[in-house]
Structure formats: structure tokens, C-alpha cells
Amino acid sequence: MVGRLQTGIDVLDRKLDGGLPPGCVVAYTADPASQSELLLYELTAARGTLYLSTERSDDVVRHAIDSSMAQAGSPTVRHLADNDSLDEATRLISALPDGANLIIDTMDVLERTDRSEYMTFLNELKAHMLETKSIAVLHCLKGNAEPENRSTTLHLADAVFDLRTTVGGTELENHLTIPKFRGGGAPTESIKLELSEAVEIDTSRDIA
């Protein structure tokens, strides 16, 4: 589809009619024990990327990207301190250039802030994505103790990518579904991915 920005992950771009609309905000939900970061790393290869880490230090994130087999780029990595994470994230995002990627890994720390302040942050983030024609991917960990503002993240996001990791027989299976996509044209079936050294479509069985 004309005007969409490629994610850099071939299987996703094919399923999304060429990629994501400029200005799109994606909530990417996954289990903490999954290989979900591989998808984040490969997103950095498509264009300049600001990678904001709320839990791992910037050195740890850079080492993880450099040591992985993912086809990654050279993102700008910044760690957000707990005490002023929203303000620091807003400041860094405001300097994002046109046509860039923004990755926040993970959203859990930000989602535990005051709800009103968090909603303001998300709305300002969306406005800046539209202004710069950029893409934001918000990494949201699933679990029993999800932050109270998780529903706010999912509601304000333009798209939701949900990664589910299960054990099928003796093998791990990763299925990516897109239950929400305001841009239209989302695949109705799940995408079976191979998340070992890189993000690839799993052709060992039919896509279900």
C-alpha cells in the first residue's frame, strides 16, 4: 500500500500490505520469557531508531543487539531513570527526527505512573509520531501483575501485535496475531514465527 513504512521484517511487511502507516503507534504484547526482543532488534534495521529502555541499562541493550543474530541497525539507546521516566521520555521523543522509529522497552514502568500524566504522555507521543511521520513500538509484557494503565496503552494504540509462545509437542511455537489495526488491512490469521537467531516465518507447519 502506497505511503506505508516498511518494518524491515519481510513477513510482517507482506502481511501488512507493505508496512505500517506513518504516525502509527503499536502496542506489542508478549510473555516475559519469550524471545520478543528479537522482533524489536530487527525493527531497528529499517530506519534510524531511538531505543528507550526502562529496565535494562543502555550498555546491556547495546550488547544484546550486537551479540544477537538479528539483522539489526545501530539504534540510539537511552535508559530511562525510574524517578522521572515520563519527563525524560517526553524530552527524548521531542527530538526524534522525521521518518524514524521509536521503541520503548518495556512500557511497564511508565504504565505505573499517574494515569492522567500517562494519558498526556501517550497523546503527546501520538502527536509527535504524526508530526514526524514516524513509527512507535511499545513493548508491553504480559503477566499476572500487569500495570493498571495497560488498558490505556492498548486503547490509545493504533495497532496491537500480540506474541504468544506455547509448547507444541517438543517444540516452542510463536504465533503473532494483530487483533487491532486502525490502519486497516491487518491479517485475520496468526503468523507463525521462528524466533531463534532472527525473525523468520516458520514453515515447518501450516500457519494457524
Side-chain angles (χ1 to χ4, degrees):
M1 187 175 291
V2 177
R4 294 204 174 185
L5 297 177
Q6 293 183 343
T7 65
I9 301 174
D10 290 343
V11 60
L12 269 184
D13 291 334
R14 290 197 301 270
K15 295 293 185 178
L16 295 173
D17 294 330
L20 294 167
C24 186
V25 176
V26 178
Y28 172 41
T29 60
D31 294 326
S34 70
Q35 290 276 74
S36 57
E37 289 95 349
L38 275 178
L39 188 144
L40 298 179
Y41 300 161
E42 295 215 356
L43 290 174
T44 68
R47 59 190 58 85
T49 301
L50 173 62
Y51 196 117
L52 301 182
S53 174
T54 61
E55 297 180 345
R56 296 180 293 168
S57 71
D58 46 5
D59 287 340
V60 169
V61 172
R62 289 192 191 96
H63 176 74
I65 294 174
D66 292 342
S67 61
S68 78
M69 298 297 292
Q71 296 179 356
S74 299
T76 298
V77 183
R78 295 290 183 268
H79 174 70
L80 300 177
D82 290 348
N83 55 349
D84 60 349
S85 56
L86 281 182
D87 291 341
E88 182 68 2
T90 299
R91 183 185 69 81
L92 291 168
I93 292 168
S94 67
L96 197 71
D98 292 348
N101 278 350
L102 168 69
I103 294 174
I104 303 181
D105 176 26
T106 63
M107 289 298 292
D108 296 48
V109 171
L110 304 182
E111 289 172 326
R112 291 189 172 92
T113 57
D114 175 78
R115 185 173 187 274
S116 178
E117 293 179 0
Y118 181 65
M119 289 180 64
T120 298
F121 166 76
L122 286 182
N123 279 292
E124 291 179 352
L125 182 153
K126 173 62 179 178
H128 196 67
M129 293 302 104
L130 289 171
E131 180 182 348
T132 59
K133 296 180 173 60
S134 299
I135 293 173
V137 178
L138 315 179
H139 191 204
C140 304
L141 296 182
K142 297 186 287 189
N144 296 326
E146 292 182 359
E148 291 185 4
N149 287 327
R150 173 60 51 80
S151 60
T152 302
T153 304
L154 299 179
H155 176 66
L156 291 183
D158 301 303
V160 175
F161 291 1
D162 182 41
L163 180 69
R164 296 180 181 272
T165 302
T166 57
V167 178
T170 60
E171 298 180 352
L172 284 176
E173 295 182 357
N174 298 284
H175 293 268
L176 184 72
T177 58
I178 304 177
K180 176 182 181 181
F181 192 58
R182 290 194 179 115
T188 56
E189 76 280 1
S190 66
I191 305 168
K192 191 176 180 184
L193 299 177
E194 174 67 35
L195 297 176
S196 52
E197 297 179 346
V199 180
E200 299 174 344
I201 192 167
D202 188 340
T203 58
S204 60
R205 301 181 186 180
D206 293 335
I207 299 174

